[in-house]
């Protein structure tokens, strides 16, 4: 291996398996957390309440107002609850919205975080936080928001609806796809990314065509999601994530669904500039056209494949391009307005990459 590279692992304690939710109290004690504020969305509020009850005096209550794209005003309310409850740590039970709220609290007060993911989104393994204020989403990376402990419990994913399974899984795959050609890409991350994409694409196919409660397939999907999330935390991002941040923050589009729609088209844009990465993606997806293979996963599952279906106005494309070019992320292919317009029109219409 003649290529120079730097590999830096993020510190985290990961517990993976079935029935691991029962270890929450022990893990809080290990972290030195006496009273944890439990975070969730309204949809998962009952699950958070049940976990709170099981924790007894170690719970400081439940805040179930987590929302997409981590709005600053929601964080303000959560901070007041945190302070009023006498909490000294947080437990985030849910997907990216809830995990993002936990990170936003930690960014302000450095509270220890125990995260229990119930989707495949992957935010739990990263030091990245995105927050929305005034219709614009901004992101930053800081070790302050990296969760200390993550509990992966396969049981919590068994009832994940098919649509959410696929869109959340595609969100995770996007992390690994970009890690292969991101600015901080290296051979170790490329191995993890290829393995994660392979595990997830295979598991999503099995769950879409077979038993959605298949424990082995769910375990493979969660394992793949962990690998993909680790890649996001260490490898960095490129055009795909920039577009998703712009589209989500500016047009209030659903996070996982936006990743699902944009990924095949962002990959198509970059493929001419990343021949080595394309070979890895061909192996991982078992296809000569990885972008089309990813599009087909969504199409075959019946989830949205166009920005139009997500409610984005066509006349918003020009604004999205402007915001993307104003503060661009690293990307292996130069960002230019005309090809970006083609990319976004294809994504808006839901065209299959050829």
């Amino acid at each position: 291996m003649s290529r120079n590279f730097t590999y830096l692992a993020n510190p985290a304690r990961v517990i993976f398996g079935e029935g691991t939710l029962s270890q929450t109290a022990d893990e809080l004690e290990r972290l030195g957390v006496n009273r944890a504020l439990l975070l969730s969305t309204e949809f998962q509020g009952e699950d958070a309440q049940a976990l709170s009850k099981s924790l007894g005096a170690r719970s400081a209550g439940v805040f179930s107002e987590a929302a997409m794209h981590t709005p600053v005003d929601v964080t303000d309310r959560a901070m007041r609850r945190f302070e009023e409850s006498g909490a000294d740590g947080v437990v985030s039970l849910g997907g990216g919205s809830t995990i993002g709220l936990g990170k936003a609290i930690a960014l302000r007060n450095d509270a220890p975080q125990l995260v229990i993911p119930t989707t495949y989104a992957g935010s739990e393994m990263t030091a990245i936080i995105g927050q929305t204020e005034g219709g614009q989403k901004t992101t930053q990376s800081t070790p302050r928001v990296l969760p200390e402990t993550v509990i992966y419990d396969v049981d919590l994913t068994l009832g994940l609806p098919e649509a959410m399974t696929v869109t959340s899984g595609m969100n995770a795959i996007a992390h690994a796809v970009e890690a292969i050609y991101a600015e901080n890409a290296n051979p170790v991350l490329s191995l993890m990314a290829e393995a994660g994409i392979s595990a997830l694409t295979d598991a999503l196919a099995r769950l879409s065509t077979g038993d959605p409660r298949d424990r082995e397939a769910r375990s493979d999907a969660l394992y793949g999601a962990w690998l993909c999330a680790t890649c996001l935390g260490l490898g960095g991002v490129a055009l795909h994530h920039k577009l998703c941040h712009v589209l989500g923050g500016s047009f209030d589009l659903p996070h996982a669904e936006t990743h699902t729609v944009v990924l095949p088209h962002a990959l198509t844009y970059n493929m001419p500039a990343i021949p080595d990465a394309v070979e890895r993606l061909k192996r991982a997806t078992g296809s000569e056209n990885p972008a089309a293979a990813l599009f087909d996963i969504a199409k075959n599952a019946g989830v949205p494949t166009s920005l139009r279906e997500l409610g984005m106005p066509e006349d918003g494309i020009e604004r999205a391009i402007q915001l993307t070019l104003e503060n661009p992320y690293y990307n292996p292919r130069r960002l230019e307005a005309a090809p970006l317009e083609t990319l976004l029109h294809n994504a808006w219409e839901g065209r299959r990459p050829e």
Side-chain angles (χ1 to χ4, degrees):
M1 174 67 68
S2 59
R3 177 181 172 186
N4 296 337
F5 66 91
T6 299
Y7 175 77
L8 177 66
N10 283 333
R13 177 173 166 83
V14 175
I15 298 164
F16 188 101
E18 300 179 17
T20 50
L21 182 66
S22 63
Q23 299 181 41
T24 303
D26 291 341
E27 290 303 315
L28 287 173
E29 183 176 3
R30 184 185 182 92
L31 287 172
V33 174
N34 295 310
R35 285 175 57 77
L37 179 64
L38 275 68
L39 308 175
S40 75
T41 59
E42 182 180 2
F43 177 74
Q44 291 185 293
E46 289 187 10
D47 294 330
Q49 290 288 353
L51 180 58
S52 174
K53 184 177 180 181
S54 74
L55 294 176
R58 201 173 287 275
S59 170
V62 174
F63 181 86
S64 56
E65 299 177 32
M68 287 190 306
H69 309 303
T70 319
V72 170
D73 62 323
V74 174
T75 304
D76 290 340
R77 294 197 297 273
M79 284 299 302
R80 288 194 293 271
R81 179 73 65 82
F82 185 96
E83 292 161 1
E84 292 167 358
S85 69
D88 58 354
V90 296
V91 173
S92 301
L93 175 68
S97 298
T98 301
I99 297 167
L101 177 58
K103 288 181 170 184
I105 292 173
L107 182 64
R108 298 191 188 189
N109 64 11
D110 206 24
Q113 301 172 77
L114 188 156
V115 176
I116 307 168
T118 59
T119 70
Y120 307 130
S123 177
E124 67 277 0
M125 295 304 297
T126 81
I128 302 169
I129 179 172
Q131 301 182 90
T132 303
E133 187 173 21
Q136 189 161 347
K137 187 170 186 176
T138 58
T139 62
Q140 62 176 299
S141 180
T142 168
R144 191 177 177 92
V145 305
L146 183 69
E148 282 77 8
T149 301
V150 180
I151 296 178
Y152 288 105
D153 190 335
V154 175
D155 293 348
L156 299 180
T157 67
L158 294 179
L160 199 62
E162 181 179 351
M164 192 178 297
T165 294
V166 173
T167 57
S168 179
M170 289 288 286
N171 185 8
I173 290 169
H175 306 331
V177 167
E178 290 215 311
I180 297 176
Y181 55 77
E183 190 170 16
N184 297 322
N186 63 66
V188 179
L189 282 180
S190 293
L191 288 171
M192 297 175 70
E194 186 175 340
I197 295 167
S198 178
L200 254 175
T201 53
D202 179 66
L204 291 179
R206 287 150 60 198
L207 290 167
S208 296
T209 60
D211 180 4
R213 297 182 67 87
D214 180 337
R215 285 184 175 272
E216 185 175 348
R218 286 290 180 185
S219 181
D220 289 348
L222 194 58
Y223 173 72
W226 169 56
L227 289 176
C228 292
T230 302
C231 291
L232 172 65
L234 300 176
V237 295
L239 173 62
H240 167 79
H241 280 80
K242 177 62 181 182
L243 287 173
C244 289
H245 292 159
V246 166
L247 294 170
S250 300
F251 303 99
D252 196 31
L253 303 186
H255 184 80
E257 289 84 349
T258 302
H259 277 272
T260 302
V261 170
V262 171
L263 179 58
H265 303 285
L267 178 57
T268 298
Y269 183 100
N270 278 326
M271 281 172 64
I274 52 170
D276 292 343
V278 169
E279 290 306 311
R280 283 192 177 275
L281 293 171
K282 286 180 178 179
R283 291 195 298 268
T285 60
S287 169
E288 285 300 305
N289 186 340
L294 294 173
F295 180 92
D296 290 343
I297 289 174
K299 188 72 173 179
N300 293 338
V303 300
T305 54
S306 71
L307 293 174
R308 174 170 47 191
E309 293 173 89
L310 302 184
M312 180 184 168
E314 187 174 12
D315 60 11
I317 290 176
E318 184 176 345
R319 182 185 175 202
I321 294 171
Q322 179 184 355
L323 290 172
T324 300
L325 294 176
E326 278 180 3
N327 183 26
Y329 294 176
Y330 163 85
N331 197 64
R333 178 183 170 186
R334 182 182 175 185
L335 300 186
E336 299 176 272
L340 284 174
E341 185 175 5
T342 299
L343 183 166
L344 285 171
H345 272 292
N346 287 340
W348 190 83
E349 294 176 2
R351 292 182 181 174
R352 183 180 187 270
E354 298 298 339

